[in-house]
Amino acid sequence: MAYNQLKYRKNFGLLIAFVILVTILFGVAMLAARSMIANFIETEFNNRKVEVFDRSVQPFHEFFNDKIPEISYYQGYLDSVKAASYVNDIIRKYAFVDRVLFYDIAITNSDTVETGIKYNNLLVYPKSITSFYLNEENRLIAQRPENTQTRAYIDDFNTMVLKFVGFLDRVNESTSMSNDDIYRVFYALNPGKVIYMNIPRISDLLAYKRMMSVPDTNFVAYDQDMFMFLIDPSKIQIKNVAENLYEKIAILPIVSGSVSDQHYYLQTELSLPGALSDYKLQYTSSEGFINKEINRRFFPVSLGISGVYLILIFIAYLIYRNVTINSRLFQLQYDFINNLTHEFKTPVSVIKIAGNNIQSSEKLSTEEQRMYGKILDQEADKLNSLMNKLLSFAQIENKSIKPNKEEVQVEEFCEPIFEAVKLKYPDLNFTYTIDVQNHMMVDTTLLLSVFQNLIDNAYKYSEPQRKFLHIDVQQNKKNFVIKFKDKGIGINKKEFNSIFKKFYRVKNQFNQQGSIGLGLAFCKEIVDFMGGEIKVDSVPSEGTTFTLLLPLGPKKN
């Protein structure tokens, strides 16, 4: 129970719930975004048809509002030659004008002509009717209509004249023609036809009215012009300004159905105006075409949503990593406290036992005094060494001290250490080589601690029959290269980056007791502190080589 209370609590369930929630929200956001984009495109499909419609019928409006009224500039004095010039410009510029009929009209008080419309004393009749069209060679052809066609064209003429004569009844000197009057009297719009009579001056209209109401023996005649434009709406050029929305746009008769038997995902239509009213614009797009546009617009949105999702997942990973690191650190610190307690407890217990024995003994022999004195001295050295290591490690890590570098001969530094090794570990097969030309500039006390740690590890982590250590001290152009090569149990490669961390202990049978995980971390801190580098190379069950790289000092004299 007490052990479980000391364990670091890792609430991964909450983290997993967070990841699941974020993933669900990610899926919902992606579906909602795509659905919104699909709805937006469908709305845009229905709304932008007006823009396509306006751009497509713009040439017709230009023809109707700007080009047709130019006829009135001639005030009825157009003949077939001038009319041909005018029509040629119209029919070539506006492809939807299929044929043009020119009526050269006479308004007179004579009754010598049988055709036309006679109202009281006023006679209005066509002196001639000329039909203009482009032939297959794209040449303008002018000809008189056939008899069957003439009757139909005369009917259109009579309808226009009756409107005109009816308007003359209402004309007086104060008359001013509004736009409504102009469109009502001088225009006629029928499916496939636009009829226009040139607009006379008010003075001419008053003259026509007098001719109509007052008999006059003097012959009077006026000229008027009327044009009939036969329109083919199917020749209007469609301007698809939203090619990403409309796969196909067609001009069809108003009574027609779909373009084909194919089922379209989206379809809408708009009726054409005025003389084009027998036709409509039909807009269609297949499901694949619309999906392509949805995907195109959805792609950047999905990238944004995915980016937010990945950021949240990365945050979850950082939380997981932090929890894992904290858990490992907690365990390392817990093990450190246990091992440190053991390290302190053992010499303290030995000192206490030796002190009790000395205190309880009535008389000690000289040999016993020496034995107890040696025990107390050794255990005190252990405590002192451990305390110094902890204190030095803290000072070096916090950079509260500076290295006390001094010039020393390599042999002079190494040989006392190597002699002590032979005395301390008589069962260790120990060899060394020294081949250098420069002196060392190092903190000898700190470097001594590194040597002792690496030598102690080589002995500690070797099987009894494989206790071997060779120290090779060389130099290259930049560094001293000091190698500690043993034939111990070795270290797994995946632990190379961890063995130099505080409190980290390689799990093996030699580390069950008596290690606080500071030895190699202490060595790395010292070597880094002196501007050097420490490396490790190892093969499990074959041995380990630690390599120190220390900056060169001055050359030997």
Side-chain angles (χ1 to χ4, degrees), residues 1-20:
M1 184 71 174
Y3 175 75
N4 290 334
Q5 290 177 348
L6 288 173
K7 289 183 67 177
Y8 186 84
R9 295 184 180 181
K10 298 179 286 187
N11 195 351
F12 287 131
L14 185 61
L15 191 61
I16 293 171
F18 171 76
V19 172
I20 293 173

Side-chain angles (χ1 to χ4, degrees), residues 514-543:
S515 174
I516 58 175
L518 280 181
L520 291 177
F522 185 51
C523 292
K524 179 171 176 55
E525 286 291 335
I526 291 174
V527 173
D528 291 345
F529 189 59
M530 293 190 295
E533 185 181 356
I534 184 169
K535 299 179 180 179
V536 62
D537 185 26
S538 182
V539 178
S541 302
E542 293 187 13

Side-chain angles (χ1 to χ4, degrees), residues 201-212:
R201 292 168 293 202
I202 296 296
S203 59
D204 291 339
L205 291 173
L206 292 172
Y208 299 160
K209 185 173 184 179
R210 284 193 300 270
M211 291 168 58
M212 182 174 61

Side-chain angles (χ1 to χ4, degrees), residues 98 137 149 178 212 215 229 246 265 282 322 326 329 376 443 492 494:
D98 190 54
E137 289 79 23
Q149 293 176 328
S178 65
M212 182 174 61
F229 302 93
Y246 305 114
Y265 181 66
Q282 189 173 75
N322 187 57
N326 287 342
L329 182 61
L376 292 174
D443 187 320
N492 196 304
K494 65 181 181 181

Side-chain angles (χ1 to χ4, degrees), residues 193-247:
K193 294 179 184 179
V194 177
I195 304 173
Y196 178 81
M197 180 186 291
N198 77 278
I199 305 169
R201 292 168 293 202
I202 296 296
S203 59
D204 291 339
L205 291 173
L206 292 172
Y208 299 160
K209 185 173 184 179
R210 284 193 300 270
M211 291 168 58
M212 182 174 61
S213 58
V214 178
D216 194 343
T217 56
N218 295 325
F219 175 76
V220 182
Y222 292 87
D223 288 326
Q224 282 285 113
D225 297 322
M226 189 178 85
F227 283 82
M228 179 190 294
F229 302 93
L230 301 179
I231 306 299
D232 183 359
S234 64
K235 293 183 180 179
I236 290 178
Q237 183 179 1
I238 297 172
K239 296 181 180 179
N240 188 357
V241 295
E243 294 181 349
N244 58 323
L245 294 174
Y246 305 114
E247 183 177 12

Side-chain angles (χ1 to χ4, degrees), residues 448-464:
L448 175 62
S449 298
V450 174
F451 270 67
Q452 288 175 342
N453 270 286
L454 294 178
I455 292 169
D456 290 344
N457 283 351
Y459 184 83
K460 178 180 178 180
Y461 296 105
S462 297
E463 301 286 350

